[in-house]
Amino acid sequence: MIKTQFALLRREFWEHRSLIIVPAVVAAMITLTTLTGQVSINHLDLLDMGIVGATNMPENARAVALSVAMISLTSSFIFAMWILTIFYTLDSLYAERKDRSILFWRSIPVTDFETVLSKLLTATIAIPVVTFVVIVATHLLVLLNISIWIEFRGGSPWNLIWTAVPFIDNWTATLVLLLALPLWLSPFIGWFLFVSAFTKRSPLLTAALPIFMLPLFEKMLFDSSVLAETFFERSIKMPLFAGIDNMELLFQEGEDFANFTGAKLSLLSLMDLGSFVVSPQLWIGIVVCGIFCAAAMYVRRYRDDS
Amino acid sequence: MTSLVSAHNVSKSFGSLRAVDGVSFDIEKGRIVGLIGPNGAGKTTLLKAVLGLTDCQGSLSVLGLDPFRQRKELMRNICFIADVAVLPRWIKVSQLLGFLQDVHPNFSRKRAEELLSQTHIKKTSKVRELSKGMVTQLHLSIITAIDAKLLVLDEPTIGLDIIFRKEFYSNLLSDYFDEERTIIITTHQVEEIENLLTDVMFINDGKIVLNSDMEALPERFVELMAKPDGVEKARQFKPIYERDVFGKKVMTFEGVTRDQLSGLGDIRTPDIADLFVAKVKGAAA
């Protein structure tokens, strides 16, 4: 069972090369941008001023400044990851029907349950883990790149960067967020898998239409907006941050980071993992995802396409 | 266990259409069964039921298992090549071998590599880079490397040129088949497989119209190319089908001995294609 599951996961990466390519392209773009960015900064002698400024900053403020920079890199990866997850899940059970290889896949001793499970695990665990590894590599690359410039201009990268960044805290928080996000958005993931299993054409349209049209119909027919609010809250109000307020806190502090002298910054402490894990919305979402996945398995098993 | 496949009153409907209609048969170990029928006769539906890809009414047992409910167990011991079960185009040959090695307990990678080394298929190639003939070769190599008890072939050589088709069947016999293995095969090119079958099954409108051992056919069926003066006399034996060949009447008889027809014309055993036409068209007339 476990060996089969690993083989199936590996298969997903063979078929969907974008699972590696997308995070790699984002990483390359970010790394290139920081490279060229530095060249122009250097030209304007801003780097020297930056080094002086950073050297005069309190240690905590430096940590905040660097953490905010790292978070902003991370956020582009999370955005790309979610887009990738949408396209991957919509394609995962559709492509095998489109290229008519489904009967081959069903001719080997693998159950429909195992197959759909492998797609779900790819979306909820494999994609976040790959994204995490690429994020860490990008952070290191970008910081290394900056260090070289600082060294070159006579600053001390060791003091200014490598001892200043709370790496473990930052990366742990990133990993928690990357793994929590697909769980929180799992009803959408389940819905996309289900659409991918049944639709005859354009999975993206088939999946998106109800998400936009149902709230509209609800408004027209009942003059209420329960669905719209549910979808909206699912999109932004992740209980990991106990609502949006904590996020704002982070940004406020970020804007003012040069004067930040408070307690040591910890991204982990901004997260409320406990209330996330026990929040009923999370578990309702997971149950909804489970129902959609069961429906996807049922469709794959009973439907006769050829 | 006596029968490898045992079907009793098996039916499958799509809406009001009964694709398979109360079919019963048994297939023993070590046989090569030709399942022959016109388009839309229910061949593929019946095979899908045998393979556990679709559910059906009635009782169907394959290797002692319920194919639809125990598909995973069944697939360890069954292989199939179908025109509709194509290999994924994005996969590399080496990836395919690696994947099967991981998920299929009865797959021998060594055997597959031996078989592939006799072809022009490179392990680094993707399926999309191979010709249709090579893809079928690859598929057959994989399946031969699986120690399966039952092989189901649904139009396996469709779209292949004659050299590949001949090679396919000769490899099938030399590399795959032995007394422990059983093959069910459907094709439109009946002449090509006629010599390798041990049993033949005709299906029409979802019903089995003939199920016979090949060796029993000459005793059961006779074809007569009647002399002009023998036609009326021959008709008394109630041919199941009559056709004209070069102005002569050719009649097919069932359950009539050669002795009874002697002197009425040239007597021979009908080939499968003619017999099929006789059974299907004769029944419709």
Side-chain angles (χ1 to χ4, degrees):
Chain A
M1 176 81 185
I2 289 175
K3 195 180 170 196
T4 302
Q5 208 41 247
F6 271 109
L8 288 171
L9 285 176
R10 201 162 49 137
R11 189 214 104 137
E12 293 307 310
F13 280 86
W14 288 336
E15 179 175 4
H16 300 274
R17 304 275 299 278
S18 56
L19 296 183
I20 301 287
I21 292 173
V22 168
V25 165
V26 176
M29 276 162 50
I30 288 175
T31 315
L32 271 175
T33 315
T34 54
L35 266 177
T36 51
Q38 236 118 74
V39 173
S40 56
I41 283 174
N42 185 49
H43 182 70
L44 296 166
D45 284 336
L46 278 175
L47 185 68
D48 292 347
M49 287 164 68
I51 292 170
V52 173
T55 315
N56 292 332
M57 254 186 215
E59 207 175 292
N60 281 352
R62 218 182 283 153
V64 174
L66 285 162
S67 290
V68 168
M70 284 164 78
I71 292 168
S72 70
L73 296 192
T74 304
S75 62
S76 3
F77 280 101
I78 290 177
F79 180 70
M81 174 176 107
W82 185 234
I83 302 284
L84 177 65
T85 305
I86 292 173
F87 280 94
Y88 163 74
T89 46
L90 285 173
D91 194 53
S92 61
L93 292 161
Y94 176 72
E96 62 175 13
R97 291 186 292 125
K98 208 171 100 192
D99 73 5
R100 303 196 309 144
S101 61
I102 180 165
L103 279 188
F104 168 73
W105 296 114
R106 298 193 73 204
S107 77
I108 42 189
V110 175
T111 59
D112 297 295
F113 172 80
E114 289 168 323
T115 304
V116 174
L117 181 67
S118 75
K119 317 264 175 187
L120 182 64
L121 290 179
T122 303
T124 52
I125 295 176
I127 293 179
V129 167
V130 169
T131 307
F132 175 71
V133 171
V134 179
I135 287 175
V136 169
T138 311
H139 280 163
L140 291 176
L141 236 100
V142 167
L143 291 177
L144 190 73
N145 177 23
I146 298 173
S147 300
I148 292 170
W149 279 101
I150 294 177
E151 183 74 44
F152 186 65
R153 306 297 294 186
S156 162
W158 183 252
N159 284 334
L160 290 179
I161 292 175
W162 299 99
T163 54
V165 180
F167 283 106
I168 302 297
D169 173 82
N170 191 321
W171 285 336
T172 314
T174 305
L175 185 61
V176 169
L177 178 61
L178 287 174
L179 290 172
L181 201 61
L183 288 182
W184 176 243
L185 295 171
S186 64
F188 290 105
I189 291 177
W191 165 245
F192 294 151
L193 283 172
F194 176 53
V195 168
S196 165
F198 81 77
T199 189
K200 277 203 153 72
R201 57 186 71 87
S202 51
L204 183 61
L205 213 60
T206 315
L209 269 181
I211 296 178
F212 292 106
M213 295 309 282
L214 286 180
L216 208 65
F217 285 138
E218 189 200 332
K219 186 78 189 159
M220 277 157 48
L221 291 175
F222 308 107
D223 195 29
S224 63
S225 30
V226 179
L227 278 174
E229 276 164 24
T230 311
F231 290 162
F232 184 67
E233 286 194 2
R234 185 61 62 168
S235 316
I236 59 153
K237 280 200 173 172
M238 193 172 168
L240 186 60
F241 301 103
I244 199 130
D245 295 349
N246 281 0
M247 289 288 272
E248 280 170 0
L249 184 80
L250 178 69
F251 287 120
Q252 277 169 8
E253 286 180 1
E255 280 165 16
D256 234 4
F257 59 79
N259 302 321
F260 184 82
T261 47
K264 231 177 170 14
L265 175 92
S266 163
L267 291 181
L268 263 180
S269 72
L270 288 174
M271 292 180 173
D272 191 349
L273 199 56
S275 64
F276 176 68
V277 170
V278 299
S279 81
Q281 292 109 306
L282 172 71
W283 292 101
I284 292 170
I286 289 175
V287 168
V288 171
C289 174
I291 293 169
F292 279 133
C293 286
M297 284 169 210
Y298 181 89
V299 169
R300 191 177 190 265
R301 187 161 174 215
Y302 283 85
R303 174 176 172 144
D304 200 354
D305 265 320
S306 45
Chain B
M1 191 183 75
T2 50
S3 298
L4 205 73
V5 182
S6 177
H8 189 71
N9 206 13
V10 169
S11 298
K12 168 82 184 173
S13 304
F14 297 104
S16 61
L17 175 79
R18 284 178 87 79
V20 176
D21 193 358
V23 161
S24 300
F25 61 89
D26 285 278
I27 295 174
E28 310 288 322
K29 192 168 82 175
R31 314 297 290 182
I32 303 180
V33 182
L35 182 63
I36 293 157
N39 291 329
K43 280 176 304 187
T44 299
T45 308
L46 183 59
L47 289 185
K48 277 190 175 170
V50 168
L51 294 167
L53 295 170
T54 183
D55 62 344
C56 59
Q57 289 88 51
S59 98
L60 179 62
S61 141
V62 181
L63 301 165
L65 300 166
D66 175 336
F68 190 67
R69 266 142 211 105
Q70 297 167 286
R71 186 175 63 82
K72 182 175 175 174
E73 289 83 349
L74 189 70
M75 285 305 154
R76 295 199 180 118
N77 287 304
I78 285 198
C79 286
F80 69 95
I81 301 184
D83 178 41
V84 286
V86 291
L87 295 175
R89 290 168 54 74
W90 49 264
I91 206 163
K92 273 189 197 158
V93 176
S94 57
Q95 290 174 339
L96 188 60
L97 299 182
F99 179 77
L100 287 170
Q101 193 178 17
D102 284 347
V103 302
H104 207 308
N106 293 336
F107 176 75
S108 157
R109 184 172 185 156
K110 194 165 154 276
R111 179 95 175 98
E113 284 178 354
E114 272 168 27
L115 291 162
L116 284 175
S117 67
Q118 295 159 21
T119 68
H120 295 294
I121 299 167
K122 287 203 260 334
K123 277 200 279 179
T124 50
S125 298
K126 285 187 176 176
V127 167
R128 73 158 62 90
E129 294 156 8
L130 304 175
S131 71
K132 186 154 177 25
M134 285 163 109
V135 174
T136 310
Q137 261 182 339
L138 172 62
H139 209 159
L140 184 65
S141 305
I142 289 168
I143 270 163
T144 309
I146 294 174
D147 185 18
K149 296 195 175 81
L150 176 66
L151 173 62
V152 174
L153 302 171
D154 186 11
E155 295 288 354
T157 57
I158 210 161
L160 297 188
D161 65 40
I162 188 145
I163 295 174
F164 268 120
R165 292 209 300 265
K166 289 273 175 208
E167 242 178 50
F168 180 88
Y169 289 116
S170 84
N171 289 345
L172 185 68
L173 281 188
S174 59
D175 297 331
Y176 179 82
F177 188 67
D178 62 41
E179 284 176 355
E180 290 300 307
R181 292 174 155 190
T182 307
I183 302 177
I184 305 177
I185 182 166
T186 77
T187 176
H188 282 108
Q189 277 127 359
V190 193
E191 321 79 55
E192 286 178 10
I193 59 161
E194 190 162 358
N195 299 325
L196 49 110
L197 299 180
T198 63
D199 291 84
V200 65
M201 225 189 270
F202 289 169
I203 183 167
N204 191 35
D205 286 337
K207 292 193 169 74
I208 289 185
V209 291
L210 176 74
N211 183 4
S212 170
D213 189 328
M214 286 294 279
E215 286 170 13
L217 288 183
E219 283 176 33
R220 196 165 155 191
F221 295 96
V222 175
E223 195 174 84
L224 173 77
M225 188 179 270
K227 293 179 193 161
D229 56 344
V231 172
E232 282 312 310
K233 218 173 164 190
R235 276 192 182 135
Q236 289 169 8
F237 294 103
K238 296 196 169 50
I240 56 171
Y241 185 62
E242 271 188 46
R243 68 184 200 275
D244 292 303
V245 177
F246 301 125
K248 285 191 170 179
K249 283 283 179 206
V250 174
M251 302 175 179
T252 311
F253 297 90
E254 183 172 0
V256 177
T257 64
R258 283 160 198 252
D259 293 343
Q260 287 172 296
L261 297 171
S262 68
L264 300 178
D266 296 331
I267 293 171
R268 63 179 192 110
T269 303
D271 58 34
I272 297 282
D274 290 336
L275 188 58
F276 178 72
V277 174
K279 279 303 265 186
V280 170
K281 285 209 167 172

